[in-house]
Amino acid sequence: MANPNIVNVTEIYGNTLVALATNANANSQNLVVNAQSSGKIYKINALYVSNYQGTNAADITINHRTGANEFSIASTISVAADSTLVLITKDSSIYLLENCQINMASNINSALSVTCSWDEIK
């Protein structure tokens, strides 16, 4: 796993992904993946979790996977019905190195949408 030097940046691309957490009580699903040997670093600028159903709360778990190791960014946090949880903002951004990814899992199928915005730096 390399840590690309970001002093001599040649390219920066903005990305936004919105995805449903569709794997209730299953293994986590990939949200953002920085492939091994990509030569890139991802700066995660925003991560929001919205519960768009109007009835029940739903739990979200967001993990940072580095190779075979997984670490929690948010572990089983309840998101009330019709509300949004802010996990990462530009003021608290994190870097995703090569061979790392952000995964998500929920306890209720398709109750939560996750929005992630990041800069892909090369």
Side-chain angles (χ1 to χ4, degrees), residues 87-102:
L87 292 172
I88 297 174
T89 66
K90 192 93 168 162
D91 294 333
S92 64
S93 60
I94 63 173
Y95 287 101
L96 200 61
L97 305 179
E98 292 178 336
N99 197 29
C100 294
Q101 58 195 31
I102 295 178

Side-chain angles (χ1 to χ4, degrees), residues 1-89:
M1 171 179 54
N3 188 359
N5 183 344
I6 58 175
V7 172
N8 297 315
V9 173
T10 59
E11 301 170 355
I12 300 176
Y13 297 102
N15 295 281
T16 300
L17 174 73
V18 180
L20 290 177
T22 59
N23 57 341
N25 299 314
N27 293 328
S28 58
Q29 66 192 78
N30 294 338
L31 186 61
V32 179
V33 177
N34 189 359
Q36 186 172 356
S37 302
S38 69
K40 301 174 185 175
I41 189 167
Y42 294 175
K43 183 177 182 186
I44 309 298
N45 297 313
L47 184 60
Y48 307 113
V49 181
S50 298
N51 184 339
Y52 59 89
Q53 68 167 351
T55 309
N56 299 311
D59 295 342
I60 189 71
T61 296
I62 304 287
N63 291 318
H64 179 277
R65 178 177 283 276
T66 303
N69 300 312
E70 198 164 79
F71 305 95
S72 291
I73 294 173
S75 182
T76 320
I77 296 178
S78 182
V79 183
D82 292 330
S83 66
T84 299
L85 172 67
V86 178
L87 292 172
I88 297 174
T89 66

